[in-house]
Amino acid sequence: MSRAVSEVVSPSSNEGEPASWARRLVGNQQFMLFVVFVAIFAFFTFNDSVFASVSEIGNNITDFSTLVLLAVGETFVIATGGIDLSVGGTSGFAGVVGAIAMEHLAPHGEWVVLGVGTLVCLGVGIGIGLINAVLMHYARLVPFVATLVTMGAAEGMSLVLTGGAPVGSNFGAITLTEPKISVFSYPDIIIILITVVAGLYLHYSKFGRYTFAIGSNSFAVRAVGVNVRRHLTWVYVLSGALAGLTGMFIYMRLGSGAPSAGVGTELVAIAAVVIGGARLTGGSAQLSGTVLGAMILTIVSSGLIIMNVSPNFNQVAVAILIALAATFQALRKGSRADV
Amino acid sequence: MKRDQVRSSSGRRTRFAGAKAVLSGALAVSSLALISVGSATAASASAKKITVAFVVGAEADPFFISMNAGAQAEATKLGVNLIWQGNPSQYSPSTQIPIVQQVISQLQSSKPSALVLGPTDPKALQPYVNQAIKAGIPTFNVDSSVANLKKVVSFVTGNNAQGGAAAADALATAMGYKAGKKYNVAVGMTSPTATTNVLRFQGFKAEVAKKYPGIKIVAEAYSQSSPTTANSNIQGWLTKYSQGSSTALNGIFAIDGTNAEGAASALQAAGLACSATSCGSGKVALVGYDAYNTNVALLQQGIFAALIAQDPAKEGMLSVLNAYNFLTHHKVKGIKHLITLPNVTLTPKSPAALLTKYTYQTA
């Protein structure tokens, strides 16, 4: 997964051949992902109608919220041709630090506790994002190694701080993750809003254009006078910040800060981005694809639970989805630049 | 009774990403560096003072922290030099082996001495146990064991099968089990290969088959060591086996720490958790494993109907005592080869002193 140093910019051909609507739809990764999502959803519902029940949809949205922010941050990073392995560890570490802070704040009333806790989690995430940037720019580590280092450090520090056991027990926080508006809880809505804003930012702002451009050809971007280092710093800080917020969300779900909560989730987030059609070499990604990828991964794992299938199949199912998505991408004729 | 790579109680050591191997190497180096610092008490190094070294799996786990406390108390009482080593967080032979090697050479230079090992893998650690014995260092096992126990003086461990059976009894009591009625129960595990999980589940199933024909185990799922995954799994069950339906869920056995945490929060979110005063129909009884302090707090609120606790402090204490007796009397006589400590059932009604005694300590 190491980053190709001299990635050649793919010629942005404007799909010269006259294609029928049907062919264009089939060639559209987002549309195909949506079809796959509907098919999987229908399959699970056919198997057990409980899957389409309001409360199961609520469960799925909670699971989706736990994953999607990590995947959104990862989309920005992967668009630049990088990788952020630290998001899982960061979310766990942020949740633990936040939980410790919130335990000390307990006498101050619930909203103060949760508000400060959110800021602490956000701060921890931003801090780790900055450390990633420093390791890359000053210690000259490639993103894979830099974020591998912070992943290990964050996971280790979570254990050191907690002595291995979960911290705190906050029933009030748990109740906040119950559905309030239809099947959505308040935190779910905030997370969905963040996702929408991030998507607009990636695809319609100058920041987003630079993000893709750096992934396509960072030398060219530097040549036209963009501060690539600073831009990458922001991208990793954003990824860290979103991981920090995920840590807060996990804290609210569990009512406690769990040192092992984020372990391994970076791989699920990366899977969502890859299924969503992003190129790991950078320059191409679709946030809508990432969201669909996260939706598919979410319903696959919860559907297998409802079906009472051995969860070991979950990993196999995810592997197959990634393989299909990647193959589909490779087979697409004349891959367009998504800038 | 040996513990698997995946030490279930919290499963924090489970790692599947290959990338982690790189890290564990780095961690092994760092723990080696720590060895020289050690925790050996430097006080009064009289020539005949006995030295006992423990090498455990993952030092930072409250389970081992409690074991350390028990061992330290006994060592102080008997005037034994205690060395305590282990990787902070990784429960794996690749990090444990270099530590064992270092400790063996340390023990050779400070005889009379003994090694107490909680091997992270029964086969991988066997050669090092043989090496220690060959070097004239009597060797003991604690919590988990090597494959061939013949030359190991004594093995002290918790009884997971008995713990699983105790969980079945506690769950039946919490659900108000009556013969002739039907009860649906789900079991949350860490992974299909964690031996502690397997033994506990076997003990649970055997007890159910023997005493509670009305209990049906309707679902099992794995948390893969993540409390968030455990929470998702249990949310799914609560929807599928919803209250009011003919297949309503009556009870959950959370077989390890991650499932205990995930189940407690899922039940609270769904409003299905029992309280200290009542656990009637329409609620789901929860029995958990391992007395982490957050779990004990939830037990006191009644959200857990019972917790099955191991006794790591006693495992540590007995191991030091056995080593001391062996080195002072130079014979195996009077020391049992296998000591299995029963797991204890804690309930909201357990006296505070008992709860305090069994709650795992943190650093």
Side-chain angles (χ1 to χ4, degrees):
Chain A
M1 254 185 291
S2 79
R3 177 180 163 193
V5 181
S6 57
E7 163 83 359
V8 181
V9 193
S10 56
S12 73
S13 61
N14 284 329
E15 291 199 13
E17 76 253 49
S20 70
W21 272 108
R23 190 182 293 170
R24 285 180 94 173
L25 278 180
V26 171
N28 180 314
Q29 180 126 1
Q30 270 65 41
F31 177 76
M32 289 308 289
L33 284 174
F34 186 71
V35 170
V36 169
F37 173 77
V38 171
I40 295 174
F41 192 91
F43 170 75
F44 284 130
T45 308
F46 177 74
N47 202 277
D48 188 337
S49 61
V50 159
F51 195 73
S53 69
V54 170
S55 81
E56 182 57 19
I57 290 171
N59 292 346
N60 275 311
I61 289 171
T62 312
D63 288 349
F64 172 77
S65 299
T66 315
L67 170 61
V68 73
L69 289 187
L70 297 183
V72 167
E74 200 69 67
T75 308
F76 277 81
V77 171
I78 287 176
T80 67
I83 191 98
D84 189 348
L85 297 176
S86 68
V87 291
T90 301
S91 67
F93 182 56
V96 162
V97 175
I100 293 169
M102 286 184 267
E103 228 183 9
H104 288 291
L105 287 167
H108 291 279
E110 197 181 333
W111 292 109
V112 175
V113 169
L114 292 176
V116 177
T118 307
L119 291 178
V120 169
C121 289
L122 196 60
V124 169
I126 290 171
I128 294 180
L130 281 173
I131 295 173
N132 282 333
V134 167
L135 288 176
M136 282 184 287
H137 297 150
Y138 297 101
R140 305 267 170 151
L141 301 182
V142 295
F144 188 96
V145 177
T147 58
L148 183 68
V149 167
T150 45
M151 170 180 84
E155 288 177 9
M157 280 305 291
S158 306
L159 290 167
V160 171
L161 285 181
T162 57
V167 180
S169 176
N170 187 341
F171 180 60
I174 293 178
T175 49
L176 266 179
T177 60
E178 290 168 21
K180 290 281 160 34
I181 299 170
S182 167
V183 289
F184 300 96
S185 69
Y186 296 134
D188 290 337
I189 290 172
I190 294 171
I191 286 170
I192 291 167
L193 283 177
I194 293 173
T195 306
V196 170
V197 171
L200 295 173
Y201 200 52
L202 179 64
H203 292 293
Y204 296 102
S205 76
K206 200 166 81 178
F207 184 89
R209 278 199 299 280
Y210 286 170
T211 304
F212 284 119
I214 289 171
S216 290
N217 188 337
S218 65
F219 298 105
V221 178
R222 194 172 292 126
V224 297
V226 175
N227 188 335
V228 172
R229 275 189 178 186
R230 190 163 64 197
H231 192 91
L232 284 177
T233 303
W234 281 115
V235 167
Y236 282 86
V237 164
L238 174 72
S239 177
L242 294 176
L245 288 178
T246 300
M248 182 63 195
F249 185 71
I250 294 174
Y251 170 86
M252 293 170 80
R253 259 189 102 168
L254 298 173
S256 56
S260 62
V263 174
T265 50
E266 63 278 349
L267 296 178
V268 187
I270 293 169
V273 179
V274 171
I275 291 174
R279 264 205 305 261
L280 277 175
T281 45
S284 166
Q286 277 285 342
L287 205 95
S288 54
T290 298
V291 168
L292 281 162
M295 284 163 68
I296 290 172
L297 289 174
T298 302
I299 64 165
V300 167
S301 32
S302 67
L304 293 176
I305 287 289
I306 294 289
M307 273 179 76
N308 229 339
V309 170
S310 158
N312 301 329
F313 280 108
N314 194 338
Q315 292 177 11
V316 179
V318 171
I320 292 171
L321 283 172
I322 295 175
L324 286 177
T327 311
F328 182 73
Q329 224 177 339
L331 292 180
R332 260 194 314 180
K333 270 189 257 169
S335 68
R336 334 169 249 131
D338 290 301
V339 187
Chain B
M1 250 52 74
K2 62 196 176 256
R3 211 169 276 270
D4 191 79
Q5 313 284 76
V6 183
R7 220 191 76 84
S8 71
S9 54
S10 52
R12 269 174 292 288
R13 299 145 206 82
T14 325
R15 247 10 231 108
F16 33 86
K20 278 303 175 68
V22 180
L23 270 188
S24 61
L27 280 169
V29 174
S30 64
S31 24
L32 267 179
L34 283 172
I35 279 183
S36 49
V37 183
S39 53
T41 37
S44 74
S46 73
K48 284 285 166 67
K49 193 161 182 178
I50 288 172
T51 300
V52 176
F54 272 69
V55 181
V56 297
E59 267 196 310
D61 189 299
F63 180 89
F64 289 114
I65 293 172
S66 296
M67 186 186 285
N68 184 359
Q72 188 62 61
E74 189 69 10
T76 313
K77 202 171 99 187
L78 300 172
V80 167
N81 233 344
L82 185 72
I83 296 174
W84 192 270
Q85 286 299 341
N87 185 277
S89 59
Q90 300 250 329
Y91 193 83
S92 106
S94 63
T95 53
Q96 192 179 33
I97 287 170
I99 300 177
V100 173
Q101 287 175 316
Q102 182 77 24
V103 166
I104 289 175
S105 51
Q106 210 179 342
L107 289 176
Q108 273 178 298
S109 60
S110 54
K111 284 180 182 175
S113 57
L115 172 66
V116 181
L117 177 68
T120 47
D121 186 279
K123 288 203 183 101
L125 271 298
Q126 185 78 55
Y128 302 94
V129 166
N130 299 347
Q131 187 193 327
I133 294 166
K134 219 172 151 192
I137 301 162
T139 300
F140 300 74
N141 277 175
V142 66
D143 181 46
S144 54
S145 75
V146 287
N148 184 355
L149 273 169
K150 230 183 194 166
K151 288 185 177 158
V152 170
V153 181
S154 176
F155 172 36
V156 184
T157 183
N159 190 338
N160 283 298
Q162 170 267 334
D169 292 333
L171 196 55
T173 311
M175 294 188 300
Y177 184 87
K178 287 190 189 73
K181 287 181 78 178
K182 297 267 173 248
Y183 300 86
N184 293 319
V185 165
V187 182
M189 293 188 279
T190 287
S191 83
T193 50
T195 46
T196 43
N197 281 217
V198 173
L199 289 167
R200 289 169 189 175
F201 191 38
Q202 279 172 357
F204 184 84
K205 278 195 290 197
E207 186 80 348
V208 164
K210 198 167 77 186
K211 284 164 67 176
Y212 311 107
I215 291 181
K216 189 178 167 205
I217 298 168
V218 291
E220 323 159 9
Y222 306 123
S223 72
Q224 310 292 1
S225 302
S226 159
T228 328
T229 307
N231 179 286
S232 299
N233 294 345
I234 287 148
Q235 274 188 338
W237 290 341
L238 295 178
T239 303
K240 181 168 185 183
Y241 306 103
S242 63
Q243 300 304 309
S245 73
S246 59
T247 54
L249 196 65
N250 305 101
I252 294 174
F253 176 28
I255 221 159
D256 77 326
T258 54
N259 276 289
E261 198 182 355
S265 51
L267 287 177
Q268 288 179 90
L272 295 172
C274 300
S275 70
T277 47
S278 77
C279 189
S281 66
K283 301 282 181 192
V284 179
L286 174 61
V287 171
Y289 225 103
D290 285 327
Y292 294 108
N293 49 14
T294 35
N295 284 351
V296 173
L298 291 169
L299 177 76
Q300 285 165 321
Q301 293 168 41
I303 289 161
F304 282 105
L307 279 179
I308 311 300
Q310 307 183 68
D311 198 350
K314 195 165 181 189
E315 288 182 22
M317 189 270 273
L318 283 176
S319 298
V320 171
L321 183 64
N322 285 341
Y324 176 82
N325 283 340
F326 184 81
L327 289 172
T328 347
H329 307 299
H330 303 286
K331 58 183 176 192
V332 192
K333 216 176 158 193
I335 300 172
K336 277 165 85 177
H337 190 238
L338 173 67
I339 301 175
T340 355
L341 301 176
N343 289 337
V344 185
T345 307
L346 303 175
T347 71
K349 289 184 184 127
S350 300
L354 191 75
L355 292 183
T356 316
K357 182 181 164 203
Y358 281 99
T359 303
Y360 300 169
Q361 301 179 15
T362 45

